[in-house]
Amino acid sequence: MAILVAGIDSSTQSCKVVIRDSETGALVRSGSAKHPEGTEVDPEAWWDAFLQAVEAAGGLGDVAAASVGGQQHGLVALDSSGRVIRNALLWNDTRSAEAADQLIQEHGGTAEGKANWARMTGSVPVASFTATKLRWLAEAEPENAARVAAVALPHDWLTWKISGAARLEDLTTDRSDASGTSYYDTAAGQYRYELLAQALHISEEAAREIVLPRVLGPNESAGTGDPARGWGHLVLGPGAGDNAAAALGLGMSTGDVAISIGTSGVVSAVSPEPIQDPSGTVNGFADASGEFLPLAVTLNGSRILDGVCRMLGVDHDQLAELALAAEPGANGLTLIPYLEGERTPNLPFATGSFIGLSLASMNPQDVARSAVEGLLCLLADGLSAMTSLGVPVNSIQLIGGAARNAAVQQLAPAIFEREILVPEPDEYVANGAARQAAWVLSGAEAPPAWAASSTTRFSAEPTRFVRDRYAERQMLFAERP
Ligand SMILES: Nc1ncnc2c1ncn2[C@@H]1O[C@H](COP(=O)(O)OP(=O)(O)O)[C@@H](O)[C@H]1O
Ligand SMILES: O=C(CO)[C@@H](O)[C@H](O)COP(=O)(O)O
């Protein structure tokens, strides 16, 4: 009788659940449910979507273990009774951009401040990070800030809810998600309460009264499921940030790079050593296997194409067809895709722009092409930042919803100027969480060796002029509006 494990991906736009054979990794069942739109969400909506996705996946009654992969950084502020104080501000909410600047300035000004943050935590704070949201809360909603008794991340809170726990002290997390808070020293593997205190404008003594989730080891159990829901048999894994879970799902090791195009655009790699980038372009996070996961993240990802689909009145496949019917360079048209502001580069209040519009390029094909090329150029800058830090790049795998797009698959090698691999479209974050759950069950040194997905190789002639023109035009927006 197969022993089954569940992997959950509670991401920005939806909750996905996969049930897999713990030994072989074979998929047995799956389910999903949408999340509400917006950059702040009531965590109860994640809980409702989780319950719907579990039901769609046939329930957890015959499942031995489960782990939660989640969107990173979201601020789940809890009062002393464990109630959520206000909607969670998500990773893509930019209202704490000024707060991020303040935190940097408070450590010696722009250049020195960034270098100090990279040294203290592994990353330079941007609006996405939890500590900046706490600073915003302290200044914009002091009455709410005063009620904060615990701070959890989306995956921590969901794991806590699944366990049926009520004590704040039962909150747990893992090093990969903790490393995205800006109050955790990723290299040393410990919280920095003085940074939590700084964010909230309180003393370190007061900050130490705030419960932060216990950081579990890569295959350390977070406890068991809620008996009241019939989940008392369910062993819970530590969970992970979504990108660390994806790396586990892909079986990534040093030299492997994943480029995920979901709501966020993420260029991630595995490193045996912590990475600290004082420029802030690359975040020095931890992974879910015990190593490190440097990554560059864009605020704009798949929704660049979603938006242009709406503009043209086409679906994803028609967009791909149009884009592939155009010439490289889209007849001189460039889309600078800062549609929701942008995180990398750190331009939280920027907007998108079409540049080089002419009568020749005012047609669906060139508009579609400029969207795909703009998305890929945005991601290529993150890839260049990783290589400039000496992160080895031996292979690139394209995952996430937009990696299913034929134009993205065919144009990526031309913009990245190297072959790319596209694994079978799958839920790699949820798969990684399931693999982690199997690892917790086994107690082995390493996670189970599940069969890798089949991949398709894509190569193309480099189109360096497209990236060069993008870089030139991007400079028009280099300063903050
Ligand atoms: N064939 C496709 N072409 C382009 N975008 C796609 C395609 N299929 C799905 N998407 C987009 O991918 C996104 C969902 O991807 P996913 O990785 O699940 O996102 P997230 O993990 O951020 O919730 C949505 O924006 C969806 O519109
Ligand atoms: O902010 C980050 C990582 O730093 C994002 O990767 C979020 O974790 C959201 O992930 P998706 O919903 O796009 O998967």
Side-chain angles (χ1 to χ4, degrees):
M1 179 77 168
I3 296 176
L4 303 182
V5 290
I8 295 112
D9 173 13
S10 180
S11 67
T12 310
Q13 296 188 45
S14 61
C15 181
K16 291 85 106 170
V17 174
V18 296
I19 312 282
R20 290 184 173 273
D21 179 310
S22 62
E23 197 177 323
T24 66
L27 181 68
V28 175
R29 310 191 297 265
S30 66
S32 66
K34 296 298 281 177
H35 284 159
E37 281 288 321
T39 63
E40 67 166 86
V41 170
D42 180 348
E44 286 301 326
W46 300 330
W47 178 244
D48 293 344
F50 165 72
L51 294 175
Q52 289 168 40
V54 161
E55 188 181 354
L60 299 172
D62 57 349
V63 174
S67 280
V68 179
Q71 59 176 304
Q72 296 189 247
H73 316 300
L75 170 60
V76 181
L78 303 175
D79 68 14
S80 54
S81 309
R83 277 189 300 268
V84 173
I85 292 171
R86 61 141 15 250
N87 283 357
L89 298 182
L90 305 189
W91 69 278
N92 55 356
D93 188 285
T94 56
R95 76 187 77 179
S96 57
E98 277 97 353
D101 290 344
Q102 283 172 15
L103 293 174
I104 290 168
Q105 294 303 324
E106 289 163 12
H107 278 273
T110 303
E112 188 184 340
K114 286 182 171 182
N116 285 331
W117 276 99
R119 179 180 48 76
M120 294 187 294
T121 65
S123 302
V124 175
V126 287
S128 285
F129 293 178
T130 323
T132 72
K133 300 178 193 299
L134 286 167
R135 171 57 66 87
W136 176 85
L137 190 72
E139 298 193 347
E141 298 177 358
E143 68 291 342
N144 280 337
R147 292 174 53 208
V148 173
V151 180
L153 300 168
H155 115 253
D156 311 342
W157 182 81
L158 205 51
T159 302
W160 189 63
K161 286 279 282 185
I162 294 168
S163 76
R167 291 178 349 119
L168 297 176
E169 292 68 25
D170 293 331
L171 282 162
T172 59
T173 190
D174 87 305
R175 53 195 283 276
S176 77
D177 225 357
S179 64
T181 59
S182 277
Y183 43 80
Y184 180 77
D185 180 336
T186 304
Q190 61 190 28
Y191 284 122
R192 302 267 314 232
Y193 280 90
E194 78 277 19
L195 300 180
L196 178 66
Q198 176 191 354
L200 281 166
H201 287 313
I202 58 177
S203 68
E204 185 171 338
E205 187 187 0
R208 287 186 178 280
E209 293 300 309
I210 293 173
V211 174
L212 294 177
R214 186 161 55 89
V215 182
L216 301 176
N219 69 337
E220 184 179 351
S221 172
T224 52
D226 184 357
R229 289 187 175 274
W231 295 342
H233 65 285
L234 195 65
V235 173
L236 298 176
D242 52 1
N243 299 297
L248 213 50
L250 288 165
M252 282 170 64
S253 56
T254 302
D256 295 331
V257 167
I259 296 184
S260 170
I261 315 177
T263 312
S264 62
V266 183
V267 181
S268 64
V270 172
S271 166
E273 299 302 324
I275 296 282
Q276 296 171 351
D277 175 12
S279 79
T281 304
V282 173
N283 305 146
F285 292 170
D287 78 349
S289 77
E291 294 193 301
F292 297 90
L293 193 80
L295 50 84
V297 182
T298 65
L299 248 180
N300 299 280
S302 60
R303 290 197 290 203
I304 296 168
L305 304 188
D306 294 347
V308 173
C309 280
R310 283 197 301 278
M311 274 178 74
L312 298 176
V314 297
D315 64 23
H316 291 133
D317 293 340
Q318 291 164 326
L319 181 86
E321 209 174 310
L322 288 169
L324 292 171
E327 290 300 313
N331 244 325
L333 184 59
T334 301
L335 171 61
I336 303 292
Y338 303 155
L339 308 180
E340 299 194 89
E342 187 38 70
R343 166 173 160 181
T344 307
N346 189 20
L347 298 167
F349 305 116
T351 53
S353 296
F354 280 107
I355 302 177
L357 206 52
S358 67
L359 288 176
S361 60
M362 293 176 86
N363 60 73
Q365 291 83 349
D366 285 326
V367 170
R369 182 76 177 221
S370 71
V372 178
E373 290 179 341
L375 164 64
L376 292 170
C377 287
L378 183 68
L379 292 166
D381 288 348
L383 181 62
S384 301
M386 296 278 263
T387 49
S388 66
L389 286 170
V391 174
V393 181
N394 301 333
S395 73
I396 298 178
Q397 297 185 81
L398 214 49
I399 61 170
R404 296 177 167 89
N405 190 281
V408 170
Q409 294 171 350
Q410 293 177 44
L411 300 186
I415 300 293
F416 298 151
E417 300 186 16
R418 54 185 308 151
E419 177 188 75
I420 60 131
L421 307 174
V422 180
E424 274 298 301
D426 205 343
E427 295 303 342
Y428 288 98
V429 174
N431 294 349
R435 189 169 176 230
Q436 182 193 72
W439 189 12
V440 172
L441 274 187
S442 72
E445 273 294 296
W450 287 358
S453 306
S454 61
T455 58
T456 306
R457 292 173 185 279
F458 289 86
S459 53
E461 278 306 304
T463 53
R464 164 60 63 157
F465 80 95
V466 174
R467 262 204 84 193
D468 289 346
R469 192 182 64 200
Y470 177 91
E472 199 183 295
R473 290 175 166 177
Q474 182 201 23
M475 290 312 291
L476 299 171
F477 306 91
E479 294 306 314
R480 281 230 189 141

